[in-house]
């Protein structure tokens, strides 16, 4: 990561300035510190039943139907929504993967910003009953999503098992911070937007005063291993990391790496379709991002 005086730029001149709450085009309110923040994660799977069996066994999640159709479901933990699952990988010709979504005021405007800055649009924006979404990729190929619409304000609550944090492993974290800052309005100075800080050679994203994501350097752009190429990784807190790793193998998945002696213990897992995620011991808490 570079040590220079560059800073992630503020919003485009066409972005409205203003108040502590923003209204998206769907009429939903994005509260203070919501704009540009992680607001959901979703698994693009090939088969819904297979994904539900695997994550039910490994993570202990239950599933309920989503409003999006019979190829979608919502994973819950202790009755709280954790993530979405959609059997759309084959339909859209995309890889099975965990994708983080970031809240935006306009999906159309964000897609345009991404394309203007060297990124690509893989899917959308497409309409859903409660908003609009797009799946994108940054200039180094890391996939992410944006969401314009209703958001679950309690999704990152301490009370349930939503993702602990997100991590972008990329070629150059500083360059990535500039890209994401421009397209998601990070560090733009408005009270409803996220803050960016630089800590220990990494970029840390703060939403509402709490760490939400980290951006780290070192990924190899052309490496054949998806764990080494630039990508966003979702971290879930669990009670027993070793039990999750054993269950992953038992149900057709793979343990990519593991460290059960660390504090907190952690492991990187892949489901049977190849979607990668990480589990960490619950004692790590939310502040570990």
């Amino acid at each position: 990561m570079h040590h220079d005086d560059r800073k992630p730029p503020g919003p485009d001149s066409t972005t409205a300035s203003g108040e502590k709450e923003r209204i998206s085009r769907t009429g939903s309110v994005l509260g203070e510190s919501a704009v540009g923040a992680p607001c959901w994660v979703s698994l693009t799977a090939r088969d819904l039943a297979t994904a539900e069996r695997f994550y039910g066994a490994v993570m202990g999640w239950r599933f309920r139907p989503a409003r999006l159709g019979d190829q979608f479901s919502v994973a819950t933990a202790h009755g709280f929504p954790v993530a979405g699952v959609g059997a759309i990988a084959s339909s859209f010709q995309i890889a099975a993967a965990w994708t983080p979504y970031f809240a935006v005021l306009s999906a159309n405007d964000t897609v345009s910003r991404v394309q203007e800055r060297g990124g690509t649009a893989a899917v959308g924006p497409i309409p859903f009953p409660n908003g609009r979404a797009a799946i994108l990729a940054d200039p180094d190929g890391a996939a992410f999503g944006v969401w314009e619409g209703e958001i679950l304000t309690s999704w990152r609550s301490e009370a349930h098992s939503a993702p602990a944090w997100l991590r972008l492993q990329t070629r150059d974290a500083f360059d990535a911070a500039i890209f994401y800052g421009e397209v998601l309005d990070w560090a733009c100075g408005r009270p409803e937007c996220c803050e960016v800080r630089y800590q220990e050679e990494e970029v840390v994203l703060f939403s509402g005063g709490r760490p939400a994501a980290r951006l780290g350097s070192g990924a190899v752009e052309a490496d054949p291993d998806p764990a080494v190429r630039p990508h966003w990784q979702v971290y879930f807190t669990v009670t027993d990391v070793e039990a999750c790793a054993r269950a992953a193998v038992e149900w057709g998945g793979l343990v990519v790496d593991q460290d059960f002696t660390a504090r907190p213990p952690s492991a990187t897992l892949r489901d049977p379709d190849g979607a990668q995620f990480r589990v960490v011991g619950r004692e790590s808490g939310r502040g570990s991002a």
Side-chain angles (χ1 to χ4, degrees):
M1 188 169 143
H2 302 306
H3 294 277
D4 57 29
D5 295 327
R6 294 179 296 165
K7 295 182 179 179
D12 293 347
S13 59
T14 56
T15 301
S17 61
E19 62 280 4
K20 289 188 177 182
E21 286 190 340
R22 295 302 183 98
I23 309 292
S24 77
R25 290 179 180 175
T26 65
S28 303
V29 175
L30 299 182
E32 186 174 353
S33 299
V35 176
C39 64
W40 191 240
V41 293
S42 184
L43 172 68
T44 52
R46 293 189 175 89
D47 181 79
L48 187 60
T50 300
E52 289 181 351
R53 284 194 296 269
F54 176 84
Y55 287 96
V58 175
M59 303 297 292
W61 294 342
R62 296 180 181 272
F63 299 87
R64 60 173 173 80
R67 290 185 285 174
L68 307 179
D70 59 6
Q71 291 301 304
F72 295 85
S73 65
V74 174
T76 65
H78 312 295
F80 291 92
V82 174
V85 181
I88 61 172
S90 299
S91 301
F92 285 104
Q93 307 263 318
I94 56 178
W98 278 99
T99 303
Y101 283 78
F102 298 86
V104 298
L105 296 172
S106 168
N108 282 346
D109 290 350
T110 306
V111 169
S112 295
R113 292 184 189 183
V114 166
Q115 293 173 322
E116 289 166 359
R117 291 160 177 79
T120 57
V123 179
I126 53 177
F128 290 99
N130 55 344
R132 303 172 74 242
I135 299 177
L136 312 167
D138 67 24
D140 286 326
F144 67 102
V146 295
W147 174 254
E148 171 197 347
E150 299 174 15
I151 59 173
L152 294 172
T153 56
S154 63
W155 177 65
R156 284 181 56 82
S157 168
E158 296 274 359
H160 61 88
S161 301
W165 66 86
L166 307 171
R167 181 185 292 273
L168 175 66
Q169 189 65 19
T170 190
R171 178 184 52 80
D172 186 302
F174 201 100
D175 285 349
I178 293 174
F179 170 83
Y180 285 98
E182 290 180 334
V183 302
L184 296 175
D185 282 353
W186 290 355
C188 68
R190 300 197 310 265
E192 76 275 22
C193 295
C194 296
E195 300 176 14
V196 173
R197 302 175 193 171
Y198 304 94
Q199 300 176 351
E200 300 177 354
E201 299 297 308
E202 291 192 325
V203 177
V204 185
L205 178 72
F206 285 79
S207 174
R210 301 172 62 186
R214 282 186 178 270
L215 287 67
S217 300
V220 181
E221 192 169 352
D223 196 284
D225 186 348
V228 179
R229 293 197 303 266
H231 66 283
W232 279 98
Q233 186 154 262
V234 182
Y235 286 64
F236 294 101
T237 51
V238 296
T239 301
D240 190 335
V241 172
E242 290 188 60
C244 289
R246 289 195 300 270
V249 174
E250 181 180 344
W251 288 85
L254 176 69
V255 178
V256 178
D257 61 57
Q258 61 189 38
D259 189 347
F260 300 147
T261 61
R263 288 293 175 264
S266 63
T268 303
L269 310 177
R270 283 184 193 159
D271 68 19
D273 283 338
Q276 183 171 291
F277 62 103
R278 193 163 180 85
V279 292
V280 294
R282 195 170 300 281
E283 67 264 31
S284 63
R286 301 285 173 150
S288 299

